[in-house]
């Protein structure tokens, strides 16, 4: 058993090693950490070793900074000044490569605008930090390139969250080395990106993790100020357009689902599976009430399935008009094939119990419900 394996064989030893490696990152002594990890790679050959060696600093790129700059401008426009940026390596990412949670903070959670790096490092030592969960905004705009294979191997390791006591799982030492190699490359990638892209104003950047691995508590003081206001304004304007189009598609999706519910009930024979038919009517009427309660104060007590086609179309036009303040102004965009899960269950129920007329109304979905 090597010295590293002896250290890792107890929880106390593993935590002490994590603190030591984290200390080198917090001191921004990346060269010392890389030298330590490189030596350990030679002593502990594993499936992780070639992935670490292939993950060089020059091949790592953190992208998405234009979106971060836009998020900061958006926060400013809301009347809250962003004074610190948090970047957490997250264990809740389902995409390729390391994922990040990017948090925007103001001075309500901590006096970031006047704090020194030493003050922030000291505040990062404990858990939770004084600003834990106090972000003003949180997004996932950043992506990491160049670490996909290493990150995938780390996340796929079956004993990733094991704290050994005695015998080590297979390749455990290699896994720990790889984990800190990833941490090193991520921190170097963020440092390089901040030097290249800067931020809209000078501010601290807090680097840590969320359900990924050992706590880090790193702090960069970004001094480079980027001239990004014009580009950020363009991004925010495009976001408004995209949100309005999404809003319109949602409107048309809700209308389409209401059409389909109404068609189910109107085509369901009065004599067939009457208890199931009553369930379908009750769900339609509940949806009707929720959807149209703010559109018309009184329209009689008729449910949409009892309205004539003309009356129903007039109601839908009023619904569109009711939602128009958030609209893009585009005429009735295609809602696509998306349906809510509850609606799909409604259709499945209808195709099973509603009879041939209902099945003929939805031939494309008949096979999916079988």
């Amino acid at each position: 058993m090597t010295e590293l394996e002896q250290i890792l064989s107890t929880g106390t030893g593993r935590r002490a090693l994590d603190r030591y490696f984290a200390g080198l990152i917090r001191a921004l002594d990346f060269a010392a950490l890389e030298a330590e990890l490189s030596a350990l790679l030679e002593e502990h050959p594993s499936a992780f070793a070639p992935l670490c060696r292939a993950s060089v600093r020059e091949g790592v790129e953190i992208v998405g900074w234009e979106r971060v700059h836009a998020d900061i401008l958006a926060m400013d426009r809301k009347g809250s000044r962003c004074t610190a940026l948090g970047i957490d390596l997250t264990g809740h990412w389902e995409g390729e490569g390391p994922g990040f949670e990017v948090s925007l903070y103001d001075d309500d959670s901590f006096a970031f605008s006047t704090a020194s790096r030493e003050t922030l490092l000291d505040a990062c030592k404990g858990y939770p930090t004084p600003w834990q969960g106090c972000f003003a905004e949180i997004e996932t705009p950043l992506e990491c390139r160049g670490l996909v294979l290493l990150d995938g191997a780390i996340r796929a390791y079956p004993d990733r969250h094991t704290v050994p006591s005695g015998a080590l799982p297979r390749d455990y030492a290699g896994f720990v080395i790889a984990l800190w190699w990833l941490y090193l490359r991520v921190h170097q990638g963020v440092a390089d990106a901040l030097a290249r892209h800067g931020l809209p104003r000078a501010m601290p950047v807090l680097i840590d993790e969320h359900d990924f691995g050992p706590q880090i508590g790193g702090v960069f003081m970004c001094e480079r100020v980027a001239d990004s206001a014009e580009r950020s304004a363009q991004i925010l304007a495009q976001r408004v357009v995209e949100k309005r189009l999404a809003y319109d598609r949602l409107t048309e999706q809700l209308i389409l689902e209401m059409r389909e519910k109404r068609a189910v009930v109107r085509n369901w024979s009065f004599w067939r599976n009457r208890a199931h038919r009553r369930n379908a009517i009750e769900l339609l009427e509940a949806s009707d009430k929720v959807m149209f309660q703010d559109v018309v104060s009184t329209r009689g007590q008729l449910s949409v399935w009892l309205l004539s086609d003309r009356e129903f179309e007039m109601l839908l036009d009023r619904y569109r008009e009711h939602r128009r303040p958030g609209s893009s102004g585009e005429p009735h965009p295609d809602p696509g094939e998306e349906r809510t899960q509850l609606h799909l269950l409604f259709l499945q129920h209808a195709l099973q119990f509603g009879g041939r007329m209902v099945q003929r109304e939805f031939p494309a979905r008949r096979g999916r419900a079988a």
Side-chain angles (χ1 to χ4, degrees), residues 28 94 105 115 144 178 184 189 214 247 266 302 326:
L28 304 182
E94 295 181 357
Y105 297 96
C144 183
L184 169 65
Y247 182 87
R266 287 170 70 91
L302 291 179

Side-chain angles (χ1 to χ4, degrees), residues 257-265 283-284 287 343 346:
E257 290 186 1
M258 181 58 70
R259 287 188 193 280
E260 291 181 346
K261 287 186 179 72
R262 179 174 180 267
V264 162
V265 172
L283 181 56
L284 170 62
S287 301
H343 184 67
F346 175 88

Side-chain angles (χ1 to χ4, degrees), residues 114-358:
T114 57
S116 66
R117 184 170 184 274
E118 291 69 26
T119 298
L120 292 169
L121 284 172
D122 188 60
C124 286
K125 286 181 179 178
Y127 183 86
T129 60
W131 52 83
Q132 188 81 28
C134 297
F135 47 80
E137 304 284 346
I138 185 168
E139 303 288 347
T140 56
L142 293 178
E143 299 175 14
C144 183
R145 297 173 181 170
L147 294 173
V148 171
L149 296 180
L150 181 59
D151 175 71
I154 288 170
R155 290 196 285 172
Y157 184 62
D159 294 295
R160 175 182 174 188
H161 299 293
T162 297
V163 179
S165 178
L168 296 178
R170 180 181 177 85
D171 277 349
Y172 188 76
F175 158 73
V176 172
I177 297 167
L179 179 62
W180 282 100
W181 194 279
L182 180 75
Y183 275 1
L184 169 65
R185 292 297 184 235
V186 165
H187 279 73
Q188 290 173 325
V190 171
D192 293 343
L194 290 174
R196 185 180 308 118
H197 301 287
L199 290 172
R201 66 180 63 96
M203 66 178 72
V205 179
L206 317 167
I207 315 292
D208 219 313
E209 60 78 41
H210 179 204
D211 294 341
F212 189 89
Q215 184 184 3
I216 313 161
V219 178
F220 293 114
M221 302 300 283
C222 180
E223 301 294 343
R224 176 167 183 176
V225 177
D227 183 13
S228 57
E230 182 177 352
R231 176 57 182 151
S232 294
Q234 293 172 351
I235 292 173
L236 294 183
Q238 182 60 33
R239 286 181 185 176
V240 171
V241 172
E242 292 171 356
K243 287 180 180 178
R244 287 178 174 173
L245 287 173
Y247 182 87
D248 288 345
R249 284 193 292 270
L250 176 60
T251 298
E252 295 304 317
Q253 178 187 337
L254 294 171
I255 287 174
L256 182 58
E257 290 186 1
M258 181 58 70
R259 287 188 193 280
E260 291 181 346
K261 287 186 179 72
R262 179 174 180 267
V264 162
V265 172
R266 287 170 70 91
N267 283 281
W268 195 315
S269 169
F270 177 80
W271 304 105
R272 185 175 182 85
N273 293 319
R274 294 177 65 180
H276 290 294
R277 179 175 180 270
R278 171 44 55 187
N279 290 339
I281 291 173
E282 288 176 353
L283 181 56
L284 170 62
E285 291 180 342
S287 301
D288 173 2
K289 182 176 181 180
V290 169
M291 185 167 173
F292 299 120
Q293 63 181 343
D294 295 326
V295 179
V296 285
S297 56
T298 59
R299 67 161 202 263
Q301 298 303 312
L302 291 179
S303 175
V304 291
W305 68 280
L306 295 172
L307 296 177
S308 69
D309 289 346
R310 179 174 176 276
E311 291 170 328
F312 180 59
E313 291 303 323
M314 290 175 63
L315 180 62
L316 294 181
D317 285 342
R318 293 181 72 175
Y319 179 69
R320 287 191 180 99
E321 187 63 30
H322 174 71
R323 287 176 62 85
R324 193 165 302 281
S327 170
S328 66
E330 295 293 325
H332 305 179
D334 182 1
E337 293 296 317
E338 290 295 320
R339 301 290 188 277
T340 60
Q341 190 62 37
L342 180 60
H343 184 67
L344 292 176
L345 291 173
F346 175 88
L347 290 183
Q348 183 177 8
H349 176 270
L351 290 168
Q352 183 176 356
F353 298 108
R356 293 180 181 177
M357 291 292 289
V358 173

